Amino acid sequence: MNRKMLVAAGALAVGSGTVLAPGAAAQDVGLREYPCSDQFRVPWVLDAWNGTNKVAFSPFGTDNIHCVSFHGMTVAYQLDPEGKKHALNPPSGLIGAFAGQLYFWDPATY
């Protein structure tokens, strides 16, 4: 093989390796999922309103709540007794600015 063919073959091998390389794990991009029920309280508990806890308005209380963090943003979901995921949504707009610790159960599953 001449030099040009060797360079072309090397470039092809490097390019193919990049395309065929295994995908990065979720942790590599900063995605972190973890159980976080301990950060939530139900609204009728006294320490729910002390400003350090999140308050979950959910028919399932604070059982099976999970948080997903991605570069400083955190979203929460809750598993129902059948294992289906339901979003726990904070209020939006002006209310959300003043009540950032409130989370409302969404009956839709995903």
Side-chain angles (χ1 to χ4, degrees):
M1 273 195 195
N2 68 26
R3 182 180 162 109
K4 284 184 183 180
M5 290 177 74
L6 283 174
V7 171
L12 180 61
V14 170
S16 297
T18 303
V19 171
L20 300 176
Q27 259 63 18
D28 294 343
V29 295
L31 185 67
R32 192 170 147 243
E33 187 168 342
Y34 53 96
C36 60
S37 291
D38 61 330
Q39 298 176 19
F40 288 83
R41 302 292 182 267
V42 290
W44 54 85
V45 177
L46 290 178
D47 73 337
W49 304 104
N50 66 8
T52 61
N53 298 306
K54 299 171 183 161
V55 180
F57 290 87
S58 167
F60 305 113
T62 60
D63 289 338
N64 289 318
I65 296 177
H66 298 265
C67 293
V68 180
S69 295
F70 181 72
H71 293 291
M73 284 184 19
T74 301
V75 296
Y77 68 87
Q78 186 173 36
L79 296 175
D80 66 17
E82 296 176 2
K84 296 177 183 171
K85 292 181 180 181
H86 299 267
L88 289 175
N89 298 318
S92 60
L94 186 59
I95 294 171
F98 293 105
Q101 297 297 94
L102 302 180
Y103 288 79
F104 296 92
W105 182 79
D106 187 343
T109 61
Y110 64 96

